[in-house]
Short mmCIF file of all heavy atoms in Angstrom, two decimals:
data_model
loop_
_atom_site.label_atom_id
_atom_site.label_comp_id
_atom_site.label_asym_id
_atom_site.label_seq_id
_atom_site.Cartn_x
_atom_site.Cartn_y
_atom_site.Cartn_z
N TYR H 298 -16.04 -42.55 67.93
CA TYR H 298 -15.71 -41.99 69.21
C TYR H 298 -16.23 -40.56 69.22
O TYR H 298 -15.97 -39.78 68.31
CB TYR H 298 -14.19 -42.02 69.42
CG TYR H 298 -13.77 -41.58 70.79
CD1 TYR H 298 -13.68 -42.49 71.81
CD2 TYR H 298 -13.49 -40.26 71.06
CE1 TYR H 298 -13.30 -42.09 73.09
CE2 TYR H 298 -13.11 -39.84 72.31
CZ TYR H 298 -13.01 -40.76 73.33
OH TYR H 298 -12.64 -40.37 74.58
N ILE H 299 -16.93 -40.20 70.27
CA ILE H 299 -17.48 -38.86 70.41
C ILE H 299 -16.96 -38.28 71.71
O ILE H 299 -17.05 -38.91 72.77
CB ILE H 299 -19.02 -38.89 70.43
CG1 ILE H 299 -19.55 -39.48 69.13
CG2 ILE H 299 -19.58 -37.48 70.65
CD1 ILE H 299 -21.03 -39.70 69.09
N GLY H 300 -16.38 -37.09 71.64
CA GLY H 300 -15.83 -36.46 72.83
C GLY H 300 -16.00 -34.96 72.81
O GLY H 300 -16.12 -34.35 71.75
N ASP H 301 -15.97 -34.36 74.00
CA ASP H 301 -16.18 -32.92 74.11
C ASP H 301 -15.10 -32.22 74.94
O ASP H 301 -15.26 -31.09 75.36
CB ASP H 301 -17.55 -32.64 74.72
CG ASP H 301 -17.67 -33.11 76.16
OD1 ASP H 301 -16.77 -33.83 76.63
OD2 ASP H 301 -18.67 -32.76 76.81
N ASP H 302 -13.99 -32.89 75.15
CA ASP H 302 -12.99 -32.35 76.06
C ASP H 302 -11.62 -32.39 75.40
O ASP H 302 -11.37 -33.19 74.50
CB ASP H 302 -12.99 -33.20 77.34
CG ASP H 302 -12.22 -32.55 78.46
OD1 ASP H 302 -12.78 -31.68 79.14
OD2 ASP H 302 -11.04 -32.91 78.63
N THR H 303 -10.71 -31.59 75.89
CA THR H 303 -9.36 -31.59 75.34
C THR H 303 -8.67 -32.94 75.55
O THR H 303 -7.81 -33.33 74.77
CB THR H 303 -8.49 -30.48 75.95
OG1 THR H 303 -8.51 -30.61 77.36
CG2 THR H 303 -9.01 -29.11 75.56
N THR H 304 -9.06 -33.67 76.59
CA THR H 304 -8.45 -34.98 76.82
C THR H 304 -8.85 -35.98 75.74
O THR H 304 -8.16 -36.99 75.56
CB THR H 304 -8.84 -35.53 78.21
OG1 THR H 304 -10.27 -35.63 78.30
CG2 THR H 304 -8.33 -34.63 79.32
N ASP H 305 -9.93 -35.72 75.03
CA ASP H 305 -10.34 -36.60 73.93
C ASP H 305 -9.46 -36.44 72.70
O ASP H 305 -9.45 -37.29 71.81
CB ASP H 305 -11.80 -36.33 73.54
CG ASP H 305 -12.75 -36.66 74.67
OD1 ASP H 305 -12.64 -37.77 75.22
OD2 ASP H 305 -13.60 -35.81 75.00
N GLU H 306 -8.70 -35.37 72.63
CA GLU H 306 -7.85 -35.12 71.46
C GLU H 306 -6.82 -36.23 71.25
O GLU H 306 -6.47 -36.54 70.11
CB GLU H 306 -7.15 -33.76 71.57
CG GLU H 306 -8.08 -32.59 71.37
CD GLU H 306 -8.78 -32.59 70.01
OE1 GLU H 306 -8.13 -32.91 68.99
OE2 GLU H 306 -9.98 -32.27 69.98
N ASN H 307 -6.33 -36.83 72.31
CA ASN H 307 -5.39 -37.94 72.16
C ASN H 307 -6.02 -39.10 71.39
O ASN H 307 -5.39 -39.73 70.56
CB ASN H 307 -4.88 -38.43 73.52
CG ASN H 307 -3.97 -37.43 74.17
OD1 ASN H 307 -3.30 -36.66 73.50
ND2 ASN H 307 -3.94 -37.43 75.49
N VAL H 308 -7.28 -39.37 71.71
CA VAL H 308 -8.00 -40.44 70.99
C VAL H 308 -8.24 -40.02 69.55
O VAL H 308 -8.01 -40.80 68.62
CB VAL H 308 -9.33 -40.78 71.69
CG1 VAL H 308 -10.08 -41.85 70.91
CG2 VAL H 308 -9.09 -41.23 73.11
N PHE H 309 -8.69 -38.79 69.33
CA PHE H 309 -8.92 -38.31 67.97
C PHE H 309 -7.65 -38.43 67.13
O PHE H 309 -7.70 -38.78 65.96
CB PHE H 309 -9.37 -36.85 67.97
CG PHE H 309 -10.70 -36.58 68.63
CD1 PHE H 309 -10.95 -35.37 69.23
CD2 PHE H 309 -11.71 -37.54 68.65
CE1 PHE H 309 -12.17 -35.09 69.82
CE2 PHE H 309 -12.94 -37.28 69.25
CZ PHE H 309 -13.16 -36.06 69.83
N LYS H 310 -6.53 -38.15 67.74
CA LYS H 310 -5.25 -38.17 67.03
C LYS H 310 -4.80 -39.59 66.69
O LYS H 310 -4.23 -39.83 65.63
CB LYS H 310 -4.19 -37.47 67.88
CG LYS H 310 -2.90 -37.21 67.17
CD LYS H 310 -1.85 -36.44 67.98
CE LYS H 310 -2.22 -36.07 69.37
NZ LYS H 310 -1.16 -35.36 70.10
N THR H 311 -5.05 -40.53 67.58
CA THR H 311 -4.53 -41.88 67.39
C THR H 311 -5.51 -42.84 66.71
O THR H 311 -5.09 -43.86 66.18
CB THR H 311 -4.10 -42.51 68.73
OG1 THR H 311 -5.20 -42.53 69.62
CG2 THR H 311 -2.96 -41.72 69.34
N LEU H 312 -6.80 -42.52 66.72
CA LEU H 312 -7.80 -43.39 66.12
C LEU H 312 -7.86 -43.12 64.61
O LEU H 312 -8.39 -42.10 64.18
CB LEU H 312 -9.17 -43.15 66.76
CG LEU H 312 -10.26 -44.15 66.46
CD1 LEU H 312 -9.87 -45.55 66.94
CD2 LEU H 312 -11.57 -43.73 67.11
N HIS H 313 -7.30 -44.02 63.83
CA HIS H 313 -7.20 -43.81 62.39
C HIS H 313 -8.36 -44.40 61.61
O HIS H 313 -8.54 -44.09 60.45
CB HIS H 313 -5.88 -44.38 61.86
CG HIS H 313 -4.69 -43.73 62.49
ND1 HIS H 313 -4.30 -42.44 62.20
CD2 HIS H 313 -3.82 -44.17 63.42
CE1 HIS H 313 -3.24 -42.13 62.91
NE2 HIS H 313 -2.92 -43.16 63.67
N THR H 314 -9.12 -45.29 62.22
CA THR H 314 -10.28 -45.85 61.56
C THR H 314 -11.51 -45.50 62.39
O THR H 314 -11.40 -45.17 63.57
CB THR H 314 -10.20 -47.38 61.42
OG1 THR H 314 -10.09 -47.96 62.72
CG2 THR H 314 -8.99 -47.78 60.59
N GLY H 315 -12.67 -45.57 61.79
CA GLY H 315 -13.89 -45.25 62.50
C GLY H 315 -14.26 -43.79 62.37
O GLY H 315 -13.70 -43.05 61.57
N ILE H 316 -15.18 -43.40 63.20
CA ILE H 316 -15.72 -42.04 63.17
C ILE H 316 -15.31 -41.33 64.45
O ILE H 316 -15.49 -41.86 65.54
CB ILE H 316 -17.26 -42.07 63.06
CG1 ILE H 316 -17.68 -42.73 61.75
CG2 ILE H 316 -17.84 -40.66 63.15
CD1 ILE H 316 -19.15 -43.01 61.66
N THR H 317 -14.75 -40.14 64.30
CA THR H 317 -14.42 -39.33 65.46
C THR H 317 -15.21 -38.02 65.37
O THR H 317 -15.24 -37.38 64.32
CB THR H 317 -12.91 -39.03 65.55
OG1 THR H 317 -12.47 -38.47 64.31
CG2 THR H 317 -12.11 -40.29 65.84
N VAL H 318 -15.85 -37.66 66.47
CA VAL H 318 -16.71 -36.48 66.50
C VAL H 318 -16.37 -35.63 67.72
O VAL H 318 -16.38 -36.12 68.85
CB VAL H 318 -18.21 -36.87 66.56
CG1 VAL H 318 -19.09 -35.62 66.59
CG2 VAL H 318 -18.59 -37.78 65.41
N LYS H 319 -16.07 -34.39 67.47
CA LYS H 319 -15.83 -33.42 68.55
C LYS H 319 -17.13 -32.67 68.80
O LYS H 319 -17.78 -32.21 67.87
CB LYS H 319 -14.73 -32.44 68.11
CG LYS H 319 -14.59 -31.20 68.96
CD LYS H 319 -13.93 -31.49 70.26
CE LYS H 319 -13.61 -30.15 70.92
NZ LYS H 319 -13.42 -30.19 72.29
N VAL H 320 -17.52 -32.58 70.06
CA VAL H 320 -18.71 -31.84 70.43
C VAL H 320 -18.28 -30.48 70.96
O VAL H 320 -17.44 -30.40 71.85
CB VAL H 320 -19.53 -32.59 71.52
CG1 VAL H 320 -20.79 -31.81 71.85
CG2 VAL H 320 -19.86 -33.99 71.06
N GLY H 321 -18.83 -29.44 70.39
CA GLY H 321 -18.47 -28.08 70.78
C GLY H 321 -17.68 -27.41 69.67
O GLY H 321 -17.65 -27.87 68.53
N LYS H 322 -17.03 -26.32 70.00
CA LYS H 322 -16.25 -25.59 69.00
C LYS H 322 -15.12 -26.47 68.47
O LYS H 322 -14.49 -27.20 69.23
CB LYS H 322 -15.67 -24.32 69.60
CG LYS H 322 -16.72 -23.30 69.93
CD LYS H 322 -16.10 -22.03 70.43
CE LYS H 322 -17.17 -21.02 70.73
NZ LYS H 322 -16.61 -19.76 71.21
N ASN H 323 -14.89 -26.39 67.17
CA ASN H 323 -13.88 -27.23 66.52
C ASN H 323 -12.48 -26.92 67.05
O ASN H 323 -11.74 -27.81 67.43
CB ASN H 323 -13.96 -27.06 65.01
CG ASN H 323 -13.19 -28.10 64.26
OD1 ASN H 323 -12.55 -28.96 64.85
ND2 ASN H 323 -13.23 -28.05 62.96
N ASN H 324 -12.07 -25.68 67.08
CA ASN H 324 -10.78 -25.26 67.63
C ASN H 324 -9.62 -26.16 67.24
O ASN H 324 -8.86 -26.64 68.07
CB ASN H 324 -10.84 -25.16 69.16
CG ASN H 324 -11.77 -24.06 69.62
OD1 ASN H 324 -12.05 -23.13 68.88
ND2 ASN H 324 -12.25 -24.18 70.84
N ASP H 325 -9.49 -26.43 65.94
CA ASP H 325 -8.38 -27.24 65.42
C ASP H 325 -8.34 -28.65 66.01
O ASP H 325 -7.28 -29.20 66.26
CB ASP H 325 -7.04 -26.54 65.66
CG ASP H 325 -6.95 -25.21 64.94
OD1 ASP H 325 -7.47 -25.12 63.81
OD2 ASP H 325 -6.38 -24.27 65.50
N SER H 326 -9.47 -29.23 66.23
CA SER H 326 -9.55 -30.60 66.74
C SER H 326 -9.05 -31.59 65.69
O SER H 326 -9.14 -31.34 64.49
CB SER H 326 -11.00 -30.94 67.10
OG SER H 326 -11.10 -32.28 67.50
N LYS H 327 -8.53 -32.70 66.14
CA LYS H 327 -8.10 -33.78 65.25
C LYS H 327 -9.26 -34.69 64.86
O LYS H 327 -9.09 -35.62 64.08
CB LYS H 327 -6.99 -34.61 65.92
CG LYS H 327 -5.75 -33.83 66.22
CD LYS H 327 -5.11 -33.33 64.95
CE LYS H 327 -3.81 -32.60 65.30
NZ LYS H 327 -3.24 -31.92 64.16
N ALA H 328 -10.46 -34.43 65.41
CA ALA H 328 -11.64 -35.22 65.05
C ALA H 328 -11.98 -34.98 63.58
O ALA H 328 -11.76 -33.90 63.04
CB ALA H 328 -12.82 -34.84 65.93
N LYS H 329 -12.53 -36.01 62.94
CA LYS H 329 -12.90 -35.89 61.53
C LYS H 329 -14.17 -35.07 61.35
O LYS H 329 -14.36 -34.43 60.33
CB LYS H 329 -13.08 -37.28 60.93
CG LYS H 329 -11.79 -38.07 60.86
CD LYS H 329 -12.03 -39.47 60.35
CE LYS H 329 -10.73 -40.26 60.44
NZ LYS H 329 -10.95 -41.68 60.30
N TYR H 330 -15.06 -35.11 62.33
CA TYR H 330 -16.33 -34.40 62.26
C TYR H 330 -16.58 -33.66 63.56
O TYR H 330 -15.92 -33.94 64.56
CB TYR H 330 -17.48 -35.39 62.02
CG TYR H 330 -17.27 -36.25 60.80
CD1 TYR H 330 -16.74 -37.53 60.92
CD2 TYR H 330 -17.58 -35.78 59.54
CE1 TYR H 330 -16.53 -38.32 59.80
CE2 TYR H 330 -17.38 -36.56 58.41
CZ TYR H 330 -16.85 -37.83 58.55
OH TYR H 330 -16.64 -38.60 57.45
N TYR H 331 -17.54 -32.74 63.54
CA TYR H 331 -17.89 -32.09 64.79
C TYR H 331 -19.38 -31.77 64.83
O TYR H 331 -20.03 -31.63 63.80
CB TYR H 331 -17.05 -30.83 65.03
CG TYR H 331 -17.35 -29.67 64.12
CD1 TYR H 331 -18.23 -28.67 64.53
CD2 TYR H 331 -16.78 -29.57 62.88
CE1 TYR H 331 -18.53 -27.61 63.70
CE2 TYR H 331 -17.06 -28.50 62.04
CZ TYR H 331 -17.93 -27.52 62.45
OH TYR H 331 -18.22 -26.47 61.64
N CYS H 332 -19.90 -31.70 66.03
CA CYS H 332 -21.28 -31.29 66.30
C CYS H 332 -21.20 -30.10 67.24
O CYS H 332 -20.34 -30.05 68.12
CB CYS H 332 -22.07 -32.41 66.98
SG CYS H 332 -22.41 -33.83 65.93
N ASN H 333 -22.09 -29.15 67.04
CA ASN H 333 -22.07 -27.95 67.88
C ASN H 333 -22.56 -28.19 69.30
O ASN H 333 -22.21 -27.44 70.20
CB ASN H 333 -22.92 -26.84 67.24
CG ASN H 333 -22.27 -26.30 65.98
OD1 ASN H 333 -21.06 -26.16 65.92
ND2 ASN H 333 -23.07 -26.02 64.98
N SER H 334 -23.40 -29.22 69.48
CA SER H 334 -24.00 -29.43 70.79
C SER H 334 -24.34 -30.90 70.99
O SER H 334 -24.32 -31.69 70.05
CB SER H 334 -25.29 -28.61 70.91
OG SER H 334 -26.26 -29.11 69.98
N THR H 335 -24.69 -31.24 72.23
CA THR H 335 -25.12 -32.61 72.50
C THR H 335 -26.43 -32.92 71.79
O THR H 335 -26.69 -34.06 71.44
CB THR H 335 -25.27 -32.86 74.01
OG1 THR H 335 -26.14 -31.88 74.57
CG2 THR H 335 -23.92 -32.79 74.70
N GLY H 336 -27.24 -31.89 71.55
CA GLY H 336 -28.47 -32.08 70.78
C GLY H 336 -28.17 -32.54 69.36
O GLY H 336 -28.86 -33.41 68.82
N GLN H 337 -27.14 -31.98 68.76
CA GLN H 337 -26.74 -32.41 67.42
C GLN H 337 -26.19 -33.83 67.45
O GLN H 337 -26.35 -34.57 66.50
CB GLN H 337 -25.71 -31.46 66.83
CG GLN H 337 -26.31 -30.20 66.29
CD GLN H 337 -25.32 -29.39 65.49
OE1 GLN H 337 -24.10 -29.56 65.60
NE2 GLN H 337 -25.82 -28.48 64.69
N VAL H 338 -25.53 -34.21 68.53
CA VAL H 338 -25.04 -35.60 68.67
C VAL H 338 -26.23 -36.55 68.67
O VAL H 338 -26.21 -37.59 68.00
CB VAL H 338 -24.20 -35.78 69.95
CG1 VAL H 338 -23.87 -37.25 70.19
CG2 VAL H 338 -22.93 -34.95 69.88
N THR H 339 -27.28 -36.21 69.40
CA THR H 339 -28.48 -37.04 69.43
C THR H 339 -29.07 -37.18 68.03
O THR H 339 -29.44 -38.29 67.61
CB THR H 339 -29.53 -36.44 70.39
OG1 THR H 339 -28.96 -36.36 71.69
CG2 THR H 339 -30.78 -37.29 70.44
N LEU H 340 -29.15 -36.09 67.29
CA LEU H 340 -29.65 -36.14 65.91
C LEU H 340 -28.76 -37.01 65.03
O LEU H 340 -29.25 -37.81 64.23
CB LEU H 340 -29.75 -34.73 65.32
CG LEU H 340 -30.81 -33.83 65.91
CD1 LEU H 340 -30.67 -32.41 65.36
CD2 LEU H 340 -32.20 -34.37 65.63
N PHE H 341 -27.46 -36.88 65.18
CA PHE H 341 -26.51 -37.67 64.40
C PHE H 341 -26.67 -39.16 64.70
O PHE H 341 -26.73 -39.99 63.80
CB PHE H 341 -25.07 -37.22 64.68
CG PHE H 341 -24.04 -38.19 64.17
CD1 PHE H 341 -23.84 -38.34 62.81
CD2 PHE H 341 -23.30 -38.96 65.04
CE1 PHE H 341 -22.90 -39.24 62.32
CE2 PHE H 341 -22.36 -39.85 64.58
CZ PHE H 341 -22.16 -39.99 63.22
N LEU H 342 -26.74 -39.51 65.98
CA LEU H 342 -26.87 -40.93 66.35
C LEU H 342 -28.20 -41.50 65.88
O LEU H 342 -28.26 -42.66 65.44
CB LEU H 342 -26.70 -41.10 67.85
CG LEU H 342 -25.29 -40.82 68.38
CD1 LEU H 342 -25.27 -40.89 69.90
CD2 LEU H 342 -24.27 -41.76 67.77
N SER H 343 -29.27 -40.70 65.93
CA SER H 343 -30.56 -41.15 65.40
C SER H 343 -30.47 -41.40 63.90
O SER H 343 -30.99 -42.39 63.40
CB SER H 343 -31.64 -40.11 65.70
OG SER H 343 -31.84 -39.98 67.07
N TRP H 344 -29.83 -40.49 63.19
CA TRP H 344 -29.64 -40.65 61.75
C TRP H 344 -28.82 -41.90 61.46
O TRP H 344 -29.16 -42.70 60.59
CB TRP H 344 -28.94 -39.42 61.17
CG TRP H 344 -28.56 -39.59 59.74
CD1 TRP H 344 -29.34 -39.39 58.64
CD2 TRP H 344 -27.29 -40.04 59.25
NE1 TRP H 344 -28.64 -39.68 57.50
CE2 TRP H 344 -27.37 -40.08 57.85
CE3 TRP H 344 -26.09 -40.39 59.87
CZ2 TRP H 344 -26.30 -40.47 57.05
CZ3 TRP H 344 -25.04 -40.79 59.07
CH2 TRP H 344 -25.15 -40.81 57.68
N LEU H 345 -27.74 -42.10 62.20
CA LEU H 345 -26.87 -43.25 61.99
C LEU H 345 -27.63 -44.55 62.22
O LEU H 345 -27.51 -45.51 61.45
CB LEU H 345 -25.65 -43.17 62.91
CG LEU H 345 -24.61 -44.26 62.77
CD1 LEU H 345 -24.01 -44.27 61.37
CD2 LEU H 345 -23.51 -44.07 63.81
N LEU H 346 -28.43 -44.60 63.26
CA LEU H 346 -29.22 -45.79 63.55
C LEU H 346 -30.19 -46.09 62.41
O LEU H 346 -30.35 -47.25 62.00
CB LEU H 346 -29.97 -45.62 64.87
CG LEU H 346 -30.79 -46.81 65.33
CD1 LEU H 346 -29.90 -48.04 65.53
CD2 LEU H 346 -31.52 -46.48 66.61
N ARG H 347 -30.81 -45.05 61.85
CA ARG H 347 -31.71 -45.27 60.71
C ARG H 347 -30.96 -45.78 59.49
O ARG H 347 -31.50 -46.53 58.69
CB ARG H 347 -32.45 -43.97 60.36
CG ARG H 347 -33.54 -43.60 61.35
CD ARG H 347 -34.42 -42.48 60.83
NE ARG H 347 -33.70 -41.31 60.37
CZ ARG H 347 -33.30 -40.29 61.13
NH1 ARG H 347 -33.53 -40.31 62.43
NH2 ARG H 347 -32.67 -39.26 60.60
N GLN H 348 -29.71 -45.40 59.34
CA GLN H 348 -28.92 -45.84 58.20
C GLN H 348 -28.53 -47.31 58.30
O GLN H 348 -28.52 -48.03 57.32
CB GLN H 348 -27.65 -44.98 58.02
CG GLN H 348 -27.90 -43.52 57.84
CD GLN H 348 -28.90 -43.20 56.76
OE1 GLN H 348 -28.73 -43.59 55.61
NE2 GLN H 348 -29.96 -42.51 57.12
N ILE H 349 -28.17 -47.74 59.50
CA ILE H 349 -27.68 -49.11 59.66
C ILE H 349 -28.79 -50.12 59.89
O ILE H 349 -28.62 -51.30 59.61
CB ILE H 349 -26.64 -49.23 60.79
CG1 ILE H 349 -27.24 -48.90 62.14
CG2 ILE H 349 -25.42 -48.37 60.48
CD1 ILE H 349 -26.33 -49.21 63.31
N THR H 350 -29.94 -49.68 60.38
CA THR H 350 -31.03 -50.61 60.68
C THR H 350 -31.49 -51.39 59.46
O THR H 350 -31.65 -52.61 59.55
CB THR H 350 -32.20 -49.89 61.37
OG1 THR H 350 -31.71 -49.31 62.58
CG2 THR H 350 -33.32 -50.84 61.70
N PRO H 351 -31.72 -50.78 58.27
CA PRO H 351 -32.14 -51.58 57.12
C PRO H 351 -31.13 -52.65 56.73
O PRO H 351 -31.50 -53.74 56.31
CB PRO H 351 -32.30 -50.55 55.99
CG PRO H 351 -32.53 -49.26 56.68
CD PRO H 351 -31.74 -49.36 57.97
N ALA H 352 -29.86 -52.38 56.90
CA ALA H 352 -28.82 -53.36 56.56
C ALA H 352 -28.81 -54.53 57.53
O ALA H 352 -28.25 -55.58 57.24
CB ALA H 352 -27.46 -52.67 56.54
N MET H 353 -29.44 -54.37 58.67
CA MET H 353 -29.44 -55.41 59.70
C MET H 353 -30.52 -56.46 59.43
O MET H 353 -30.56 -57.48 60.08
CB MET H 353 -29.69 -54.79 61.08
CG MET H 353 -28.77 -53.65 61.41
SD MET H 353 -27.36 -53.98 62.42
CE MET H 353 -27.73 -55.36 63.33
N GLY H 354 -31.43 -56.18 58.50
CA GLY H 354 -32.50 -57.13 58.23
C GLY H 354 -33.43 -57.24 59.42
O GLY H 354 -33.86 -56.24 59.97
N ASN H 355 -33.72 -58.46 59.83
CA ASN H 355 -34.64 -58.70 60.95
C ASN H 355 -33.96 -58.60 62.31
O ASN H 355 -34.61 -58.69 63.33
CB ASN H 355 -35.30 -60.08 60.82
CG ASN H 355 -36.22 -60.12 59.64
OD1 ASN H 355 -36.81 -59.12 59.26
ND2 ASN H 355 -36.36 -61.29 59.03
N ARG H 356 -32.65 -58.46 62.33
CA ARG H 356 -31.94 -58.39 63.61
C ARG H 356 -32.03 -56.98 64.18
O ARG H 356 -31.87 -56.00 63.47
CB ARG H 356 -30.47 -58.74 63.42
CG ARG H 356 -30.26 -60.17 62.96
CD ARG H 356 -28.81 -60.43 62.69
NE ARG H 356 -28.39 -59.58 61.57
CZ ARG H 356 -27.14 -59.22 61.34
NH1 ARG H 356 -26.18 -59.61 62.12
NH2 ARG H 356 -26.84 -58.46 60.31
N SER H 357 -32.27 -56.87 65.44
CA SER H 357 -32.28 -55.58 66.10
C SER H 357 -30.83 -55.13 66.29
O SER H 357 -29.96 -55.94 66.62
CB SER H 357 -32.95 -55.70 67.47
OG SER H 357 -32.66 -54.57 68.25
N PRO H 358 -30.55 -53.84 66.10
CA PRO H 358 -29.18 -53.36 66.34
C PRO H 358 -28.79 -53.46 67.81
O PRO H 358 -27.63 -53.31 68.14
CB PRO H 358 -29.22 -51.91 65.88
CG PRO H 358 -30.64 -51.54 65.79
CD PRO H 358 -31.43 -52.80 65.62
N TYR H 359 -29.75 -53.75 68.67
CA TYR H 359 -29.47 -53.87 70.10
C TYR H 359 -29.25 -55.30 70.54
O TYR H 359 -28.93 -55.56 71.68
CB TYR H 359 -30.60 -53.24 70.91
CG TYR H 359 -30.86 -51.81 70.54
CD1 TYR H 359 -31.98 -51.46 69.80
CD2 TYR H 359 -29.97 -50.82 70.90
CE1 TYR H 359 -32.20 -50.13 69.45
CE2 TYR H 359 -30.17 -49.50 70.55
CZ TYR H 359 -31.30 -49.17 69.83
OH TYR H 359 -31.51 -47.87 69.47
N SER H 360 -29.44 -56.26 69.65
CA SER H 360 -29.30 -57.66 70.04
C SER H 360 -27.84 -58.09 70.05
O SER H 360 -27.03 -57.54 69.31
CB SER H 360 -30.08 -58.56 69.07
OG SER H 360 -29.44 -58.60 67.82
N PRO H 361 -27.47 -59.06 70.88
CA PRO H 361 -26.09 -59.54 70.90
C PRO H 361 -25.64 -60.08 69.54
O PRO H 361 -24.48 -59.98 69.18
CB PRO H 361 -26.10 -60.65 71.95
CG PRO H 361 -27.28 -60.38 72.78
CD PRO H 361 -28.29 -59.69 71.89
N GLN H 362 -26.57 -60.63 68.76
CA GLN H 362 -26.22 -61.17 67.46
C GLN H 362 -25.82 -60.07 66.48
O GLN H 362 -25.14 -60.33 65.51
CB GLN H 362 -27.39 -61.96 66.87
CG GLN H 362 -27.74 -63.21 67.64
CD GLN H 362 -28.59 -62.91 68.88
OE1 GLN H 362 -29.14 -61.84 69.03
NE2 GLN H 362 -28.64 -63.87 69.78
N ALA H 363 -26.25 -58.85 66.74
CA ALA H 363 -25.93 -57.74 65.84
C ALA H 363 -24.50 -57.26 66.01
O ALA H 363 -23.92 -56.68 65.10
CB ALA H 363 -26.89 -56.59 66.08
N ALA H 364 -23.91 -57.49 67.17
CA ALA H 364 -22.55 -57.01 67.44
C ALA H 364 -21.54 -57.90 66.71
O ALA H 364 -21.71 -59.11 66.62
CB ALA H 364 -22.28 -57.05 68.94
N PRO H 365 -20.48 -57.29 66.19
CA PRO H 365 -19.43 -58.10 65.61
C PRO H 365 -18.87 -59.08 66.64
O PRO H 365 -18.89 -58.79 67.84
CB PRO H 365 -18.35 -57.09 65.22
CG PRO H 365 -19.07 -55.78 65.14
CD PRO H 365 -20.21 -55.87 66.12
N GLN H 366 -18.38 -60.20 66.20
CA GLN H 366 -17.89 -61.25 67.10
C GLN H 366 -16.90 -60.70 68.12
O GLN H 366 -16.92 -61.06 69.27
CB GLN H 366 -17.28 -62.39 66.29
CG GLN H 366 -16.86 -63.57 67.12
CD GLN H 366 -18.03 -64.27 67.78
OE1 GLN H 366 -19.12 -64.33 67.22
NE2 GLN H 366 -17.83 -64.79 68.97
N ARG H 367 -16.01 -59.84 67.68
CA ARG H 367 -14.97 -59.35 68.59
C ARG H 367 -15.51 -58.44 69.68
O ARG H 367 -14.83 -58.16 70.65
CB ARG H 367 -13.87 -58.66 67.82
CG ARG H 367 -14.31 -57.45 67.05
CD ARG H 367 -13.19 -56.98 66.13
NE ARG H 367 -13.72 -56.06 65.15
CZ ARG H 367 -13.64 -54.75 65.25
NH1 ARG H 367 -13.04 -54.21 66.27
NH2 ARG H 367 -14.14 -53.97 64.32
N LEU H 368 -16.75 -57.95 69.54
CA LEU H 368 -17.32 -57.07 70.55
C LEU H 368 -18.21 -57.82 71.53
O LEU H 368 -18.61 -57.27 72.53
CB LEU H 368 -18.14 -55.96 69.89
CG LEU H 368 -17.35 -55.00 69.01
CD1 LEU H 368 -18.28 -53.96 68.41
CD2 LEU H 368 -16.24 -54.32 69.80
N ARG H 369 -18.50 -59.06 71.23
CA ARG H 369 -19.37 -59.84 72.11
C ARG H 369 -18.59 -60.32 73.33
O ARG H 369 -17.41 -60.55 73.28
CB ARG H 369 -19.95 -61.05 71.38
CG ARG H 369 -20.89 -60.66 70.28
CD ARG H 369 -21.49 -61.90 69.67
NE ARG H 369 -22.04 -61.55 68.37
CZ ARG H 369 -22.29 -62.41 67.43
NH1 ARG H 369 -22.06 -63.70 67.61
NH2 ARG H 369 -22.78 -62.03 66.28
N ARG H 370 -19.31 -60.54 74.41
CA ARG H 370 -18.68 -61.07 75.61
C ARG H 370 -18.62 -62.56 75.55
O ARG H 370 -19.36 -63.24 75.00
CB ARG H 370 -19.44 -60.65 76.84
CG ARG H 370 -19.24 -59.19 77.10
CD ARG H 370 -19.94 -58.82 78.37
NE ARG H 370 -19.54 -57.47 78.67
CZ ARG H 370 -19.60 -56.96 79.86
NH1 ARG H 370 -20.03 -57.66 80.86
NH2 ARG H 370 -19.22 -55.74 80.08
#
């Protein structure tokens, strides 16, 4: 979960699994990680995609087969 607003703090506080990222000044956020700007978010997501793509084998991370069963429609 990535958020940049004080209203996102409720999610940061209650989401115990996964990745939480605050965009902007940390200011005692409950997020586990933070990025200074939306540009850094783009870099982070690009890095994350490169990390998970090799584990996907021949499947594209954008294909419906790549999504966990519970996330498929």
Side-chain angles (χ1 to χ4, degrees):
Y298 186 89
I299 300 173
D301 66 349
D302 193 82
T303 55
T304 58
D305 296 310
E306 288 301 319
N307 290 332
V308 178
F309 296 151
K310 190 177 1 179
T311 58
L312 192 61
H313 300 288
T314 60
I316 297 171
T317 53
V318 180
K319 166 75 170 159
V320 182
K322 292 184 179 181
N323 193 358
N324 294 338
D325 298 323
S326 176
K327 298 296 183 189
K329 294 176 186 165
Y330 305 97
Y331 71 95
C332 291
N333 290 321
S334 65
T335 54
Q337 282 190 341
V338 172
T339 301
L340 291 173
F341 167 70
L342 292 175
S343 296
W344 172 84
L345 183 61
L346 183 60
R347 286 191 309 274
Q348 302 308 304
I349 64 171
T350 301
M353 308 262 335
N355 292 330
R356 296 176 296 157
S357 165
Y359 304 106
S360 71
Q362 294 80 15
Q366 185 65 34
R367 61 190 165 98
L368 296 180
R369 294 184 198 160
R370 288 183 171 202

